[in-house]
Amino acid sequence: MSAIAWIAAASLAAWGFLLLGQGFFWRTDQRLPPREAPPVWPSVALVVPARDEADMLPVSLPSLLAQDYPGRAEIFLVDDSSTDGTGALARELADRLGGLPLTVLSPPEPAPGWTGKLWALRHGIDLARAERPDYLLLTDADIAHEPDSLRELVAAATTNDLDLVSQMARLRVATAWERLIVPAFVYFFSQLYPFRRVNKAGSRTAAAAGGCVLLRTTAAERARIPDSIRQAVIDDVSLARTVRKAGGRIWLGLAERVDSVRPYPRLTDLWRMVARSAYAQLLHNPLLLIGTVAGLVVVYLAPPVAVYAGLAGGDTSAGLLGGGAWAVMAGTYVPVLRYYRQSLWLAPLLPFTALLYLLMTVDSAVRHYRGRGAAWKGRTYARPQAAPERRARPS
């Protein structure tokens, strides 16, 4: 066989393993587990970090204020040095719409060694703990919840004795670039962290989706959240790992009634979203970067190249092996496309999308070595230092 045929054979073997041996990552049936209403509904503090979110709050905050929750619940929105009136808008929405009580607090700029989101969460959690809530709902300012979202999350946690329940919010897919890239983001995430493995007791695989995390307060205290992960750029995975390491039971699945409302209409918007943390996912390790690039080339890019070699160059073995690998690849992508209600014709385009993710990952590494690191909303986290003790001020 030719060299390209051998590479195609390796790709097909890799896809055989991924199909059957990677925790059935391609399935989308991990939704909230069976649940019943508890005899007494526990208290919940909803902590929302928000930096320059005036565009998102009119859509997301009303959905939190309107939560139909039978127990005591209160919202703590952390205005993280916003310059667009985020805090004032949050108060105005709460005054006008009513619903759950809202407290807005404004911490100082992050101390060295802290990422902005975790610094905001720290102060929000500190203030919320004064009310002694049983659970903390950590949710982003661009996440909209259906009215029963909190009730269903708490029921799942109490029924199944879970310390952490996280749902991956359904991301927006309105533009052509969003349709091409966003479902693949969820597909690749679940390939790295198969939900079934995450949800298996005693598993070493741990992950969460930062936009929607219900966390038992005692578990947070036991795991020293968020202080123990204060330097984490990929904070949701770090949080889940730390909770599990401290003996907590975790669960992760796809959301049905929790949606991200943030738009990523252009390729540059999506590129920035992925590139800001891709190299951090690889632990800033150049060897892992080289291995990842090589893996993406063999697993995702080689099949269409082999098919072309078979059709244009008469390499039958390469064409058949590449076609088989490409077919398995596309087939595993179909459930995610169905979850996002997208055309199944996007499935054969996964190699092109993988190429974009490869380039985004390389760009993430280049940004890191140029000193720009993980940049988000005017902040760059390149070489964090230890964080001293500081407090926020409520308002």
Side-chain angles (χ1 to χ4, degrees), residues 232-243:
V233 174
I234 307 175
D235 53 87
D236 44 13
V237 174
S238 298
L239 186 154
R241 285 174 176 167
T242 305
V243 170

Side-chain angles (χ1 to χ4, degrees), residues 53-318:
E53 296 287 9
D55 290 340
M56 298 294 104
L57 285 186
V59 181
S60 62
L61 186 56
S63 74
L64 293 178
L65 294 168
Q67 284 300 298
D68 178 19
Y69 186 67
R72 179 170 61 87
E74 183 175 356
I75 303 171
F76 296 87
L77 187 138
V78 188
D79 181 9
D80 181 15
S81 303
S82 300
T83 60
D84 63 352
T86 288
L89 176 60
R91 296 186 192 93
E92 188 274 327
L93 288 169
D95 291 342
R96 176 160 52 88
L97 300 175
L100 297 185
L102 171 73
T103 299
V104 177
L105 59 151
S106 302
E109 281 291 317
W114 285 81
T115 62
K117 178 179 177 180
L118 290 171
W119 180 250
L121 282 176
R122 181 195 188 214
H123 292 290
I125 291 173
D126 280 353
L127 187 60
R129 280 175 177 159
E131 303 297 324
R132 304 184 64 82
D134 299 302
Y135 287 89
L136 303 164
L137 176 64
L138 313 180
T139 185
D140 290 345
D142 60 354
I143 301 297
H145 295 251
E146 291 294 327
D148 62 352
S149 173
L150 179 59
R151 187 171 68 243
E152 295 298 307
L153 284 166
V154 171
T158 56
T159 301
N160 299 278
D161 192 26
L162 297 167
D163 295 291
L164 183 153
V165 178
S166 180
Q167 289 186 293
M168 178 167 281
R170 200 188 302 260
L171 304 174
R172 199 187 90 138
V173 282
T175 68
W177 284 115
E178 287 172 336
R179 294 187 183 99
L180 182 68
I181 293 176
V182 166
F185 178 85
V186 176
Y187 175 86
F188 292 137
F189 183 91
S190 62
Q191 193 175 83
L192 284 172
Y193 307 103
F195 294 173
R196 287 172 177 267
R197 288 187 180 173
V198 171
N199 300 338
K200 184 178 179 181
S203 172
R204 298 179 62 183
T205 303
C212 177
V213 177
L214 182 74
L215 179 61
R216 198 193 306 264
T217 304
T218 54
E221 293 170 349
R222 189 167 57 244
R224 296 176 47 248
I225 300 296
D227 295 61
S228 59
I229 59 170
R230 61 187 179 275
Q231 301 184 57
V233 174
I234 307 175
D235 53 87
D236 44 13
V237 174
S238 298
L239 186 154
R241 285 174 176 167
T242 305
V243 170
R244 170 158 277 172
K245 187 177 179 180
R249 297 186 61 200
I250 69 175
W251 185 94
L252 170 65
L254 294 173
E256 295 177 309
R257 302 170 69 75
V258 179
D259 299 284
S260 172
V261 297
R262 188 179 301 282
Y264 293 98
R266 303 170 300 172
L267 176 59
T268 53
D269 301 317
L270 290 157
W271 192 290
R272 191 180 306 114
M273 177 192 74
V274 175
R276 70 186 176 96
S277 61
Y279 197 43
Q281 181 70 60
L282 300 177
L283 307 177
H284 302 113
N285 187 322
L287 294 179
L288 286 178
L289 175 65
I290 293 171
T292 297
V293 170
L296 286 171
V297 168
V298 171
V299 175
Y300 287 95
L301 304 187
V305 172
V307 169
Y308 177 79
L311 294 175
D315 191 337
T316 304
S317 296

